[in-house]
Amino acid sequence: LMDILRVLNSPNIDIRRKTLEIAMELVSPRNINEVVLVLKKEVVKTQSKDVDKTESLEYRQMLIKSIHSCAVKYPSIADSVVHLLMDFLSGPGALDVVLFVREIVETYENLRDPVLTKLIDSFQDIQDPNVYRVALWILGEYALDSGKGPDAIEVIYE
């Protein structure tokens, strides 16, 4: 599987898409950590300035969806990917990220506190109204339960 993932270095978006589809079918508990590590590195690469913007955005969305499906399939890796993905709340693909964050917060109570803290810290950077709406819902639904209510209210009023 790791050899297959090397094909992600191809500049062709269709090849990358098919590679991710194959990889998501082949991922197993034995190799999930390595696969997620490669996907996280690829997401970080999409931020590079010397990459074509439109293809980079589409590729980033594919990677985010792949990481999301890995986290749903193997909950043990959710903690390691959610914080990395939250760095993308202000750019393109942010809606996919915030929907993933919402699912993580709903499903894993043990991750609520750190995710809410990161969401409160990142709240001012959100630009898309749809992302803002989902983030606002997450804060409204879970901030009081985790003791983050005053911080959430403060960041909303700013």
Side-chain angles (χ1 to χ4, degrees):
L1 178 60
M2 300 313 290
D3 291 335
I4 292 172
L5 287 175
R6 279 194 224 143
V7 178
L8 292 176
N9 290 325
S10 168
N12 188 320
I13 194 75
D14 294 325
I15 292 173
R16 288 174 167 177
R17 179 180 294 111
K18 194 64 177 171
T19 302
L20 286 172
E21 289 173 8
I22 292 169
M24 292 303 102
E25 292 175 16
L26 296 175
V27 73
S28 70
R30 259 189 8 215
N31 61 16
I32 185 66
N33 291 327
E34 292 86 10
V35 170
V36 168
L37 185 64
V38 169
L39 295 176
K40 287 187 334 187
K41 285 180 184 176
E42 289 295 315
V43 167
V44 171
K45 272 196 228 176
T46 63
Q47 289 182 300
S48 175
K49 300 209 182 333
D50 55 327
V51 180
D52 179 29
K53 284 282 191 206
T54 55
E55 281 197 15
S56 174
L57 300 177
E58 184 180 352
Y59 182 46
R60 183 184 306 159
Q61 287 181 314
M62 289 187 315
L63 290 167
I64 289 170
K65 288 179 182 178
S66 297
I67 291 171
H68 180 210
S69 69
C70 286
V72 168
K73 220 179 200 182
Y74 302 101
S76 62
I77 59 110
D79 184 33
S80 67
V81 297
V82 72
H83 294 291
L84 170 81
L85 291 180
M86 287 183 74
D87 290 337
F88 296 98
L89 282 174
S90 61
L95 187 58
D96 292 328
V97 172
V98 79
L99 292 173
F100 171 67
V101 168
R102 182 183 69 187
E103 187 173 341
I104 293 297
V105 169
E106 287 176 351
T107 309
Y108 306 108
E109 285 186 39
N110 60 324
L111 296 178
R112 279 186 192 155
D113 201 39
V115 170
L116 287 173
T117 301
K118 177 80 171 169
L119 184 58
I120 289 169
D121 292 343
S122 306
F123 197 75
Q124 298 300 321
D125 299 332
I126 296 173
Q127 299 167 348
D128 186 302
N130 293 323
V131 176
Y132 193 78
R133 177 178 46 90
V134 176
L136 196 57
W137 182 88
I138 293 169
L139 290 176
E141 189 69 24
Y142 298 105
L144 288 176
D145 295 341
S146 67
K148 302 265 185 234
D151 295 336
I153 290 171
E154 183 179 323
V155 78
I156 291 168
Y157 279 123
E158 287 179 6

